PDB file of all heavy atoms in Angstrom:
ATOM      1  N   LYS A   1      75.851  58.709 -39.487  1.00  0.00           N
ATOM      2  CA  LYS A   1      75.816  57.253 -39.463  1.00  0.00           C
ATOM      3  C   LYS A   1      74.674  56.794 -38.567  1.00  0.00           C
ATOM      4  O   LYS A   1      74.290  57.484 -37.624  1.00  0.00           O
ATOM      5  CB  LYS A   1      77.142  56.689 -38.922  1.00  0.00           C
ATOM      6  CG  LYS A   1      78.359  57.062 -39.745  1.00  0.00           C
ATOM      7  CD  LYS A   1      79.632  56.523 -39.095  1.00  0.00           C
ATOM      8  CE  LYS A   1      80.877  56.941 -39.861  1.00  0.00           C
ATOM      9  NZ  LYS A   1      82.128  56.479 -39.196  1.00  0.00           N
ATOM     10  N   PRO A   2      74.104  55.613 -38.837  1.00  0.00           N
ATOM     11  CA  PRO A   2      73.055  55.111 -37.936  1.00  0.00           C
ATOM     12  C   PRO A   2      73.632  54.846 -36.564  1.00  0.00           C
ATOM     13  O   PRO A   2      74.794  54.450 -36.428  1.00  0.00           O
ATOM     14  CB  PRO A   2      72.589  53.819 -38.622  1.00  0.00           C
ATOM     15  CG  PRO A   2      73.722  53.416 -39.514  1.00  0.00           C
ATOM     16  CD  PRO A   2      74.367  54.690 -39.954  1.00  0.00           C
ATOM     17  N   PRO A   3      72.864  55.067 -35.504  1.00  0.00           N
ATOM     18  CA  PRO A   3      73.386  54.860 -34.149  1.00  0.00           C
ATOM     19  C   PRO A   3      73.684  53.395 -33.886  1.00  0.00           C
ATOM     20  O   PRO A   3      73.045  52.504 -34.455  1.00  0.00           O
ATOM     21  CB  PRO A   3      72.252  55.371 -33.257  1.00  0.00           C
ATOM     22  CG  PRO A   3      71.018  55.247 -34.094  1.00  0.00           C
ATOM     23  CD  PRO A   3      71.467  55.514 -35.500  1.00  0.00           C
ATOM     24  N   ASP A   4      74.651  53.148 -33.049  1.00  0.00           N
ATOM     25  CA  ASP A   4      74.994  51.790 -32.640  1.00  0.00           C
ATOM     26  C   ASP A   4      73.994  51.355 -31.580  1.00  0.00           C
ATOM     27  O   ASP A   4      73.979  51.880 -30.466  1.00  0.00           O
ATOM     28  CB  ASP A   4      76.420  51.767 -32.084  1.00  0.00           C
ATOM     29  CG  ASP A   4      76.953  50.347 -31.880  1.00  0.00           C
ATOM     30  OD1 ASP A   4      76.133  49.423 -31.750  1.00  0.00           O
ATOM     31  OD2 ASP A   4      78.192  50.177 -31.856  1.00  0.00           O
ATOM     32  N   ARG A   5      73.162  50.370 -31.903  1.00  0.00           N
ATOM     33  CA  ARG A   5      72.076  49.951 -31.014  1.00  0.00           C
ATOM     34  C   ARG A   5      72.505  48.873 -30.019  1.00  0.00           C
ATOM     35  O   ARG A   5      71.708  48.395 -29.217  1.00  0.00           O
ATOM     36  CB  ARG A   5      70.886  49.474 -31.851  1.00  0.00           C
ATOM     37  CG  ARG A   5      70.250  50.595 -32.647  1.00  0.00           C
ATOM     38  CD  ARG A   5      69.214  50.083 -33.653  1.00  0.00           C
ATOM     39  NE  ARG A   5      68.157  49.319 -33.018  1.00  0.00           N
ATOM     40  CZ  ARG A   5      67.105  49.828 -32.405  1.00  0.00           C
ATOM     41  NH1 ARG A   5      66.973  51.161 -32.326  1.00  0.00           N
ATOM     42  NH2 ARG A   5      66.180  49.070 -31.854  1.00  0.00           N
ATOM     43  N   GLY A   6      73.763  48.444 -30.082  1.00  0.00           N
ATOM     44  CA  GLY A   6      74.281  47.527 -29.085  1.00  0.00           C
ATOM     45  C   GLY A   6      73.547  46.199 -29.028  1.00  0.00           C
ATOM     46  O   GLY A   6      73.386  45.497 -30.025  1.00  0.00           O
ATOM     47  N   TRP A   7      73.097  45.859 -27.822  1.00  0.00           N
ATOM     48  CA  TRP A   7      72.453  44.567 -27.573  1.00  0.00           C
ATOM     49  C   TRP A   7      71.204  44.375 -28.432  1.00  0.00           C
ATOM     50  O   TRP A   7      70.821  43.247 -28.763  1.00  0.00           O
ATOM     51  CB  TRP A   7      72.141  44.491 -26.088  1.00  0.00           C
ATOM     52  CG  TRP A   7      71.501  43.257 -25.513  1.00  0.00           C
ATOM     53  CD1 TRP A   7      70.477  43.241 -24.620  1.00  0.00           C
ATOM     54  CD2 TRP A   7      71.857  41.883 -25.708  1.00  0.00           C
ATOM     55  NE1 TRP A   7      70.156  41.948 -24.259  1.00  0.00           N
ATOM     56  CE2 TRP A   7      71.001  41.090 -24.917  1.00  0.00           C
ATOM     57  CE3 TRP A   7      72.827  41.234 -26.487  1.00  0.00           C
ATOM     58  CZ2 TRP A   7      71.058  39.705 -24.868  1.00  0.00           C
ATOM     59  CZ3 TRP A   7      72.895  39.840 -26.453  1.00  0.00           C
ATOM     60  CH2 TRP A   7      72.014  39.096 -25.653  1.00  0.00           C
ATOM     61  N   ALA A   8      70.549  45.470 -28.808  1.00  0.00           N
ATOM     62  CA  ALA A   8      69.385  45.365 -29.689  1.00  0.00           C
ATOM     63  C   ALA A   8      69.785  44.803 -31.054  1.00  0.00           C
ATOM     64  O   ALA A   8      68.971  44.151 -31.725  1.00  0.00           O
ATOM     65  CB  ALA A   8      68.719  46.732 -29.859  1.00  0.00           C
ATOM     66  N   GLU A   9      71.021  45.036 -31.479  1.00  0.00           N
ATOM     67  CA  GLU A   9      71.543  44.428 -32.714  1.00  0.00           C
ATOM     68  C   GLU A   9      72.092  43.033 -32.437  1.00  0.00           C
ATOM     69  O   GLU A   9      71.944  42.117 -33.251  1.00  0.00           O
ATOM     70  CB  GLU A   9      72.654  45.305 -33.303  1.00  0.00           C
ATOM     71  CG  GLU A   9      72.205  46.655 -33.805  1.00  0.00           C
ATOM     72  CD  GLU A   9      73.373  47.473 -34.338  1.00  0.00           C
ATOM     73  OE1 GLU A   9      74.460  46.887 -34.566  1.00  0.00           O
ATOM     74  OE2 GLU A   9      73.204  48.684 -34.529  1.00  0.00           O
ATOM     75  N   GLY A  10      72.761  42.877 -31.298  1.00  0.00           N
ATOM     76  CA  GLY A  10      73.419  41.611 -31.000  1.00  0.00           C
ATOM     77  C   GLY A  10      72.451  40.471 -30.731  1.00  0.00           C
ATOM     78  O   GLY A  10      72.725  39.324 -31.096  1.00  0.00           O
ATOM     79  N   TRP A  11      71.316  40.774 -30.099  1.00  0.00           N
ATOM     80  CA  TRP A  11      70.357  39.733 -29.715  1.00  0.00           C
ATOM     81  C   TRP A  11      69.855  38.935 -30.918  1.00  0.00           C
ATOM     82  O   TRP A  11      69.945  37.697 -30.920  1.00  0.00           O
ATOM     83  CB  TRP A  11      69.208  40.368 -28.941  1.00  0.00           C
ATOM     84  CG  TRP A  11      68.068  39.439 -28.632  1.00  0.00           C
ATOM     85  CD1 TRP A  11      66.845  39.422 -29.220  1.00  0.00           C
ATOM     86  CD2 TRP A  11      68.066  38.388 -27.673  1.00  0.00           C
ATOM     87  NE1 TRP A  11      66.061  38.438 -28.683  1.00  0.00           N
ATOM     88  CE2 TRP A  11      66.778  37.784 -27.730  1.00  0.00           C
ATOM     89  CE3 TRP A  11      68.994  37.895 -26.767  1.00  0.00           C
ATOM     90  CZ2 TRP A  11      66.424  36.717 -26.912  1.00  0.00           C
ATOM     91  CZ3 TRP A  11      68.635  36.826 -25.951  1.00  0.00           C
ATOM     92  CH2 TRP A  11      67.372  36.251 -26.029  1.00  0.00           C
ATOM     93  N   PRO A  12      69.327  39.560 -31.983  1.00  0.00           N
ATOM     94  CA  PRO A  12      68.886  38.752 -33.126  1.00  0.00           C
ATOM     95  C   PRO A  12      70.030  38.015 -33.814  1.00  0.00           C
ATOM     96  O   PRO A  12      69.833  36.912 -34.351  1.00  0.00           O
ATOM     97  CB  PRO A  12      68.219  39.769 -34.062  1.00  0.00           C
ATOM     98  CG  PRO A  12      68.690  41.097 -33.610  1.00  0.00           C
ATOM     99  CD  PRO A  12      68.979  40.980 -32.159  1.00  0.00           C
ATOM    100  N   LEU A  13      71.231  38.600 -33.802  1.00  0.00           N
ATOM    101  CA  LEU A  13      72.383  37.905 -34.384  1.00  0.00           C
ATOM    102  C   LEU A  13      72.721  36.665 -33.574  1.00  0.00           C
ATOM    103  O   LEU A  13      73.084  35.624 -34.132  1.00  0.00           O
ATOM    104  CB  LEU A  13      73.586  38.847 -34.448  1.00  0.00           C
ATOM    105  CG  LEU A  13      73.470  40.023 -35.415  1.00  0.00           C
ATOM    106  CD1 LEU A  13      74.655  40.971 -35.251  1.00  0.00           C
ATOM    107  CD2 LEU A  13      73.380  39.526 -36.860  1.00  0.00           C
ATOM    108  N   LEU A  14      72.600  36.753 -32.250  1.00  0.00           N
ATOM    109  CA  LEU A  14      72.852  35.603 -31.392  1.00  0.00           C
ATOM    110  C   LEU A  14      71.846  34.488 -31.670  1.00  0.00           C
ATOM    111  O   LEU A  14      72.208  33.309 -31.787  1.00  0.00           O
ATOM    112  CB  LEU A  14      72.777  36.032 -29.924  1.00  0.00           C
ATOM    113  CG  LEU A  14      72.922  34.931 -28.877  1.00  0.00           C
ATOM    114  CD1 LEU A  14      74.303  34.285 -28.965  1.00  0.00           C
ATOM    115  CD2 LEU A  14      72.684  35.486 -27.476  1.00  0.00           C
ATOM    116  N   LEU A  15      70.587  34.850 -31.807  1.00  0.00           N
ATOM    117  CA  LEU A  15      69.549  33.847 -32.049  1.00  0.00           C
ATOM    118  C   LEU A  15      69.737  33.141 -33.392  1.00  0.00           C
ATOM    119  O   LEU A  15      69.409  31.955 -33.526  1.00  0.00           O
ATOM    120  CB  LEU A  15      68.172  34.511 -32.008  1.00  0.00           C
ATOM    121  CG  LEU A  15      67.730  35.110 -30.669  1.00  0.00           C
ATOM    122  CD1 LEU A  15      66.333  35.693 -30.792  1.00  0.00           C
ATOM    123  CD2 LEU A  15      67.779  34.066 -29.557  1.00  0.00           C
ATOM    124  N   ALA A  16      70.273  33.854 -34.375  1.00  0.00           N
ATOM    125  CA  ALA A  16      70.425  33.290 -35.720  1.00  0.00           C
ATOM    126  C   ALA A  16      71.819  32.748 -35.997  1.00  0.00           C
ATOM    127  O   ALA A  16      72.095  32.305 -37.115  1.00  0.00           O
ATOM    128  CB  ALA A  16      70.082  34.370 -36.757  1.00  0.00           C
ATOM    129  N   ASP A  17      72.675  32.734 -34.982  1.00  0.00           N
ATOM    130  CA  ASP A  17      74.084  32.394 -35.204  1.00  0.00           C
ATOM    131  C   ASP A  17      74.271  30.949 -35.672  1.00  0.00           C
ATOM    132  O   ASP A  17      73.825  29.999 -35.012  1.00  0.00           O
ATOM    133  CB  ASP A  17      74.879  32.617 -33.915  1.00  0.00           C
ATOM    134  CG  ASP A  17      76.370  32.428 -34.104  1.00  0.00           C
ATOM    135  OD1 ASP A  17      76.842  32.492 -35.255  1.00  0.00           O
ATOM    136  OD2 ASP A  17      77.064  32.214 -33.094  1.00  0.00           O
ATOM    137  N   GLU A  18      74.941  30.803 -36.795  1.00  0.00           N
ATOM    138  CA  GLU A  18      75.262  29.479 -37.338  1.00  0.00           C
ATOM    139  C   GLU A  18      76.085  28.654 -36.351  1.00  0.00           C
ATOM    140  O   GLU A  18      75.974  27.422 -36.307  1.00  0.00           O
ATOM    141  CB  GLU A  18      76.049  29.676 -38.639  1.00  0.00           C
ATOM    142  CG  GLU A  18      76.569  28.413 -39.268  1.00  0.00           C
ATOM    143  CD  GLU A  18      77.463  28.684 -40.481  1.00  0.00           C
ATOM    144  OE1 GLU A  18      77.802  29.868 -40.726  1.00  0.00           O
ATOM    145  OE2 GLU A  18      77.831  27.703 -41.171  1.00  0.00           O
ATOM    146  N   PHE A  19      76.894  29.345 -35.544  1.00  0.00           N
ATOM    147  CA  PHE A  19      77.805  28.651 -34.633  1.00  0.00           C
ATOM    148  C   PHE A  19      77.376  28.788 -33.168  1.00  0.00           C
ATOM    149  O   PHE A  19      78.206  28.718 -32.264  1.00  0.00           O
ATOM    150  CB  PHE A  19      79.230  29.184 -34.820  1.00  0.00           C
ATOM    151  CG  PHE A  19      79.729  29.041 -36.229  1.00  0.00           C
ATOM    152  CD1 PHE A  19      80.093  30.153 -36.980  1.00  0.00           C
ATOM    153  CD2 PHE A  19      79.795  27.787 -36.827  1.00  0.00           C
ATOM    154  CE1 PHE A  19      80.545  30.018 -38.286  1.00  0.00           C
ATOM    155  CE2 PHE A  19      80.228  27.649 -38.145  1.00  0.00           C
ATOM    156  CZ  PHE A  19      80.599  28.772 -38.873  1.00  0.00           C
ATOM    157  N   GLY A  20      76.090  28.965 -32.931  1.00  0.00           N
ATOM    158  CA  GLY A  20      75.584  29.091 -31.577  1.00  0.00           C
ATOM    159  C   GLY A  20      75.700  27.793 -30.796  1.00  0.00           C
ATOM    160  O   GLY A  20      75.871  26.701 -31.355  1.00  0.00           O
ATOM    161  N   CYS A  21      75.600  27.905 -29.477  1.00  0.00           N
ATOM    162  CA  CYS A  21      75.755  26.744 -28.600  1.00  0.00           C
ATOM    163  C   CYS A  21      74.756  25.633 -28.926  1.00  0.00           C
ATOM    164  O   CYS A  21      75.065  24.445 -28.786  1.00  0.00           O
ATOM    165  CB  CYS A  21      75.586  27.190 -27.148  1.00  0.00           C
ATOM    166  SG  CYS A  21      75.900  25.897 -25.929  1.00  0.00           S
ATOM    167  N   ARG A  22      73.557  25.996 -29.389  1.00  0.00           N
ATOM    168  CA  ARG A  22      72.548  25.001 -29.731  1.00  0.00           C
ATOM    169  C   ARG A  22      72.640  24.540 -31.185  1.00  0.00           C
ATOM    170  O   ARG A  22      71.827  23.728 -31.637  1.00  0.00           O
ATOM    171  CB  ARG A  22      71.146  25.559 -29.470  1.00  0.00           C
ATOM    172  CG  ARG A  22      70.831  25.775 -28.008  1.00  0.00           C
ATOM    173  CD  ARG A  22      69.443  26.387 -27.836  1.00  0.00           C
ATOM    174  NE  ARG A  22      69.073  26.490 -26.437  1.00  0.00           N
ATOM    175  CZ  ARG A  22      69.486  27.442 -25.627  1.00  0.00           C
ATOM    176  NH1 ARG A  22      70.292  28.377 -26.077  1.00  0.00           N
ATOM    177  NH2 ARG A  22      69.108  27.452 -24.367  1.00  0.00           N
ATOM    178  N   GLY A  23      73.594  25.069 -31.925  1.00  0.00           N
ATOM    179  CA  GLY A  23      73.689  24.770 -33.349  1.00  0.00           C
ATOM    180  C   GLY A  23      74.348  23.431 -33.652  1.00  0.00           C
ATOM    181  O   GLY A  23      74.881  22.748 -32.772  1.00  0.00           O
ATOM    182  N   ARG A  24      74.378  23.089 -34.905  1.00  0.00           N
ATOM    183  CA  ARG A  24      74.881  21.784 -35.353  1.00  0.00           C
ATOM    184  C   ARG A  24      76.381  21.628 -35.166  1.00  0.00           C
ATOM    185  O   ARG A  24      76.892  20.506 -35.120  1.00  0.00           O
ATOM    186  CB  ARG A  24      74.521  21.576 -36.828  1.00  0.00           C
ATOM    187  CG  ARG A  24      75.084  22.646 -37.754  1.00  0.00           C
ATOM    188  CD  ARG A  24      74.616  22.485 -39.179  1.00  0.00           C
ATOM    189  NE  ARG A  24      75.099  21.257 -39.778  1.00  0.00           N
ATOM    190  CZ  ARG A  24      75.361  21.117 -41.076  1.00  0.00           C
ATOM    191  NH1 ARG A  24      75.183  22.150 -41.904  1.00  0.00           N
ATOM    192  NH2 ARG A  24      75.788  19.986 -41.554  1.00  0.00           N
ATOM    193  N   TRP A  25      77.098  22.745 -35.056  1.00  0.00           N
ATOM    194  CA  TRP A  25      78.556  22.654 -34.943  1.00  0.00           C
ATOM    195  C   TRP A  25      79.019  22.619 -33.493  1.00  0.00           C
ATOM    196  O   TRP A  25      80.202  22.465 -33.223  1.00  0.00           O
ATOM    197  CB  TRP A  25      79.207  23.829 -35.674  1.00  0.00           C
ATOM    198  CG  TRP A  25      78.780  23.921 -37.103  1.00  0.00           C
ATOM    199  CD1 TRP A  25      77.971  24.872 -37.656  1.00  0.00           C
ATOM    200  CD2 TRP A  25      79.105  23.015 -38.154  1.00  0.00           C
ATOM    201  NE1 TRP A  25      77.782  24.612 -38.991  1.00  0.00           N
ATOM    202  CE2 TRP A  25      78.462  23.481 -39.325  1.00  0.00           C
ATOM    203  CE3 TRP A  25      79.880  21.845 -38.234  1.00  0.00           C
ATOM    204  CZ2 TRP A  25      78.574  22.830 -40.546  1.00  0.00           C
ATOM    205  CZ3 TRP A  25      79.989  21.197 -39.445  1.00  0.00           C
ATOM    206  CH2 TRP A  25      79.346  21.676 -40.582  1.00  0.00           C
ATOM    207  N   SER A  26      78.095  22.764 -32.585  1.00  0.00           N
ATOM    208  CA  SER A  26      78.417  22.736 -31.160  1.00  0.00           C
ATOM    209  C   SER A  26      78.555  21.294 -30.683  1.00  0.00           C
ATOM    210  O   SER A  26      77.895  20.392 -31.178  1.00  0.00           O
ATOM    211  CB  SER A  26      77.308  23.439 -30.377  1.00  0.00           C
ATOM    212  OG  SER A  26      77.444  23.225 -28.991  1.00  0.00           O
ATOM    213  N   ASP A  27      79.422  21.081 -29.688  1.00  0.00           N
ATOM    214  CA  ASP A  27      79.581  19.762 -29.072  1.00  0.00           C
ATOM    215  C   ASP A  27      78.671  19.592 -27.856  1.00  0.00           C
ATOM    216  O   ASP A  27      78.728  18.562 -27.179  1.00  0.00           O
ATOM    217  CB  ASP A  27      81.042  19.562 -28.629  1.00  0.00           C
ATOM    218  CG  ASP A  27      82.010  19.597 -29.802  1.00  0.00           C
ATOM    219  OD1 ASP A  27      81.672  19.033 -30.858  1.00  0.00           O
ATOM    220  OD2 ASP A  27      83.101  20.193 -29.664  1.00  0.00           O
ATOM    221  N   ALA A  28      77.837  20.581 -27.576  1.00  0.00           N
ATOM    222  CA  ALA A  28      76.998  20.543 -26.380  1.00  0.00           C
ATOM    223  C   ALA A  28      75.856  19.539 -26.535  1.00  0.00           C
ATOM    224  O   ALA A  28      75.308  19.355 -27.625  1.00  0.00           O
ATOM    225  CB  ALA A  28      76.430  21.923 -26.095  1.00  0.00           C
ATOM    226  N   ALA A  29      75.515  18.919 -25.430  1.00  0.00           N
ATOM    227  CA  ALA A  29      74.351  18.034 -25.396  1.00  0.00           C
ATOM    228  C   ALA A  29      73.106  18.851 -25.073  1.00  0.00           C
ATOM    229  O   ALA A  29      73.195  20.013 -24.665  1.00  0.00           O
ATOM    230  CB  ALA A  29      74.555  16.947 -24.337  1.00  0.00           C
ATOM    231  N   ALA A  30      71.952  18.237 -25.267  1.00  0.00           N
ATOM    232  CA  ALA A  30      70.694  18.918 -24.952  1.00  0.00           C
ATOM    233  C   ALA A  30      70.687  19.327 -23.488  1.00  0.00           C
ATOM    234  O   ALA A  30      71.014  18.549 -22.603  1.00  0.00           O
ATOM    235  CB  ALA A  30      69.517  17.992 -25.246  1.00  0.00           C
ATOM    236  N   GLY A  31      70.339  20.570 -23.246  1.00  0.00           N
ATOM    237  CA  GLY A  31      70.299  21.071 -21.877  1.00  0.00           C
ATOM    238  C   GLY A  31      71.585  21.704 -21.403  1.00  0.00           C
ATOM    239  O   GLY A  31      71.615  22.297 -20.318  1.00  0.00           O
ATOM    240  N   ASP A  32      72.676  21.578 -22.184  1.00  0.00           N
ATOM    241  CA  ASP A  32      73.953  22.165 -21.765  1.00  0.00           C
ATOM    242  C   ASP A  32      73.996  23.673 -21.956  1.00  0.00           C
ATOM    243  O   ASP A  32      74.776  24.360 -21.296  1.00  0.00           O
ATOM    244  CB  ASP A  32      75.114  21.542 -22.558  1.00  0.00           C
ATOM    245  CG  ASP A  32      75.495  20.162 -22.059  1.00  0.00           C
ATOM    246  OD1 ASP A  32      75.142  19.844 -20.918  1.00  0.00           O
ATOM    247  OD2 ASP A  32      76.148  19.420 -22.815  1.00  0.00           O
ATOM    248  N   CYS A  33      73.216  24.186 -22.881  1.00  0.00           N
ATOM    249  CA  CYS A  33      73.274  25.605 -23.224  1.00  0.00           C
ATOM    250  C   CYS A  33      72.188  26.355 -22.470  1.00  0.00           C
ATOM    251  O   CYS A  33      71.013  26.000 -22.545  1.00  0.00           O
ATOM    252  CB  CYS A  33      73.094  25.796 -24.730  1.00  0.00           C
ATOM    253  SG  CYS A  33      74.300  24.887 -25.730  1.00  0.00           S
ATOM    254  N   THR A  34      72.578  27.376 -21.764  1.00  0.00           N
ATOM    255  CA  THR A  34      71.621  28.162 -20.991  1.00  0.00           C
ATOM    256  C   THR A  34      71.220  29.406 -21.769  1.00  0.00           C
ATOM    257  O   THR A  34      71.988  29.929 -22.581  1.00  0.00           O
ATOM    258  CB  THR A  34      72.222  28.586 -19.645  1.00  0.00           C
ATOM    259  OG1 THR A  34      73.423  29.342 -19.890  1.00  0.00           O
ATOM    260  CG2 THR A  34      72.555  27.359 -18.804  1.00  0.00           C
ATOM    261  N   GLU A  35      70.004  29.871 -21.498  1.00  0.00           N
ATOM    262  CA  GLU A  35      69.554  31.106 -22.117  1.00  0.00           C
ATOM    263  C   GLU A  35      70.400  32.270 -21.588  1.00  0.00           C
ATOM    264  O   GLU A  35      70.678  32.337 -20.392  1.00  0.00           O
ATOM    265  CB  GLU A  35      68.083  31.358 -21.775  1.00  0.00           C
ATOM    266  CG  GLU A  35      67.115  30.394 -22.436  1.00  0.00           C
ATOM    267  CD  GLU A  35      66.942  30.660 -23.918  1.00  0.00           C
ATOM    268  OE1 GLU A  35      67.415  31.718 -24.391  1.00  0.00           O
ATOM    269  OE2 GLU A  35      66.350  29.803 -24.601  1.00  0.00           O
ATOM    270  N   PRO A  36      70.816  33.171 -22.460  1.00  0.00           N
ATOM    271  CA  PRO A  36      71.560  34.338 -21.971  1.00  0.00           C
ATOM    272  C   PRO A  36      70.683  35.179 -21.065  1.00  0.00           C
ATOM    273  O   PRO A  36      69.497  35.385 -21.338  1.00  0.00           O
ATOM    274  CB  PRO A  36      71.937  35.091 -23.257  1.00  0.00           C
ATOM    275  CG  PRO A  36      70.952  34.625 -24.284  1.00  0.00           C
ATOM    276  CD  PRO A  36      70.621  33.204 -23.922  1.00  0.00           C
ATOM    277  N   THR A  37      71.247  35.636 -19.957  1.00  0.00           N
ATOM    278  CA  THR A  37      70.505  36.464 -19.020  1.00  0.00           C
ATOM    279  C   THR A  37      70.931  37.905 -19.189  1.00  0.00           C
ATOM    280  O   THR A  37      72.064  38.270 -18.906  1.00  0.00           O
ATOM    281  CB  THR A  37      70.768  36.012 -17.572  1.00  0.00           C
ATOM    282  OG1 THR A  37      72.183  36.027 -17.338  1.00  0.00           O
ATOM    283  CG2 THR A  37      70.241  34.614 -17.339  1.00  0.00           C
ATOM    284  N   ALA A  38      70.049  38.700 -19.710  1.00  0.00           N
ATOM    285  CA  ALA A  38      70.346  40.117 -19.909  1.00  0.00           C
ATOM    286  C   ALA A  38      69.028  40.848 -20.118  1.00  0.00           C
ATOM    287  O   ALA A  38      67.957  40.239 -20.187  1.00  0.00           O
ATOM    288  CB  ALA A  38      71.280  40.320 -21.108  1.00  0.00           C
ATOM    289  N   ALA A  39      69.107  42.162 -20.205  1.00  0.00           N
ATOM    290  CA  ALA A  39      67.909  42.959 -20.395  1.00  0.00           C
ATOM    291  C   ALA A  39      67.202  42.574 -21.691  1.00  0.00           C
ATOM    292  O   ALA A  39      67.817  42.088 -22.636  1.00  0.00           O
ATOM    293  CB  ALA A  39      68.295  44.444 -20.421  1.00  0.00           C
ATOM    294  N   GLY A  40      65.903  42.793 -21.735  1.00  0.00           N
ATOM    295  CA  GLY A  40      65.150  42.442 -22.927  1.00  0.00           C
ATOM    296  C   GLY A  40      64.386  43.635 -23.477  1.00  0.00           C
ATOM    297  O   GLY A  40      64.325  44.706 -22.881  1.00  0.00           O
ATOM    298  N   GLY A  41      63.775  43.456 -24.634  1.00  0.00           N
ATOM    299  CA  GLY A  41      62.942  44.476 -25.250  1.00  0.00           C
ATOM    300  C   GLY A  41      63.677  45.777 -25.465  1.00  0.00           C
ATOM    301  O   GLY A  41      64.815  45.813 -25.926  1.00  0.00           O
ATOM    302  N   GLU A  42      63.018  46.877 -25.122  1.00  0.00           N
ATOM    303  CA  GLU A  42      63.612  48.197 -25.318  1.00  0.00           C
ATOM    304  C   GLU A  42      64.866  48.390 -24.486  1.00  0.00           C
ATOM    305  O   GLU A  42      65.711  49.228 -24.800  1.00  0.00           O
ATOM    306  CB  GLU A  42      62.585  49.281 -24.987  1.00  0.00           C
ATOM    307  CG  GLU A  42      61.520  49.454 -26.051  1.00  0.00           C
ATOM    308  CD  GLU A  42      62.114  49.803 -27.406  1.00  0.00           C
ATOM    309  OE1 GLU A  42      62.938  50.733 -27.483  1.00  0.00           O
ATOM    310  OE2 GLU A  42      61.772  49.127 -28.390  1.00  0.00           O
ATOM    311  N   ASP A  43      65.011  47.629 -23.386  1.00  0.00           N
ATOM    312  CA  ASP A  43      66.196  47.770 -22.552  1.00  0.00           C
ATOM    313  C   ASP A  43      67.459  47.303 -23.264  1.00  0.00           C
ATOM    314  O   ASP A  43      68.569  47.555 -22.788  1.00  0.00           O
ATOM    315  CB  ASP A  43      66.027  46.985 -21.246  1.00  0.00           C
ATOM    316  CG  ASP A  43      64.973  47.594 -20.342  1.00  0.00           C
ATOM    317  OD1 ASP A  43      64.730  48.802 -20.475  1.00  0.00           O
ATOM    318  OD2 ASP A  43      64.401  46.871 -19.516  1.00  0.00           O
ATOM    319  N   ARG A  44      67.300  46.603 -24.371  1.00  0.00           N
ATOM    320  CA  ARG A  44      68.487  46.180 -25.128  1.00  0.00           C
ATOM    321  C   ARG A  44      69.073  47.336 -25.944  1.00  0.00           C
ATOM    322  O   ARG A  44      70.233  47.287 -26.340  1.00  0.00           O
ATOM    323  CB  ARG A  44      68.128  45.031 -26.074  1.00  0.00           C
ATOM    324  CG  ARG A  44      67.653  43.761 -25.389  1.00  0.00           C
ATOM    325  CD  ARG A  44      67.558  42.609 -26.388  1.00  0.00           C
ATOM    326  NE  ARG A  44      66.921  41.461 -25.756  1.00  0.00           N
ATOM    327  CZ  ARG A  44      65.766  40.934 -26.137  1.00  0.00           C
ATOM    328  NH1 ARG A  44      65.113  41.446 -27.162  1.00  0.00           N
ATOM    329  NH2 ARG A  44      65.256  39.892 -25.518  1.00  0.00           N
ATOM    330  N   VAL A  45      68.281  48.347 -26.215  1.00  0.00           N
ATOM    331  CA  VAL A  45      68.726  49.435 -27.085  1.00  0.00           C
ATOM    332  C   VAL A  45      69.842  50.226 -26.402  1.00  0.00           C
ATOM    333  O   VAL A  45      69.669  50.742 -25.290  1.00  0.00           O
ATOM    334  CB  VAL A  45      67.555  50.369 -27.437  1.00  0.00           C
ATOM    335  CG1 VAL A  45      68.053  51.536 -28.292  1.00  0.00           C
ATOM    336  CG2 VAL A  45      66.457  49.608 -28.163  1.00  0.00           C
ATOM    337  N   GLY A  46      70.987  50.302 -27.064  1.00  0.00           N
ATOM    338  CA  GLY A  46      72.111  51.057 -26.526  1.00  0.00           C
ATOM    339  C   GLY A  46      72.834  50.384 -25.385  1.00  0.00           C
ATOM    340  O   GLY A  46      73.658  51.016 -24.713  1.00  0.00           O
TER     341      GLY A  46
END
């Protein structure tokens, strides 16, 4: 089976999420949603 890449898979899904905090279905106002703080780039793998 392909390896589970963890955050490397989750990050693009988060950015494209239909129901994300910045999306149309959210009740948040502009500026209410903060950028997720976590490792980036290759550090997301695994």
Side-chain angles (χ1 to χ4, degrees):
K1 299 177 183 177
D4 191 337
R5 293 171 58 81
W7 181 224
E9 294 178 15
W11 173 254
L13 293 173
L14 176 63
L15 295 181
D17 186 20
E18 175 186 9
F19 302 119
C21 185
R22 292 178 175 80
R24 59 185 295 211
W25 304 109
S26 169
D27 298 320
D32 283 341
C33 303
T34 58
E35 290 287 349
T37 55
E42 285 302 310
D43 291 335
R44 297 190 188 117
V45 177

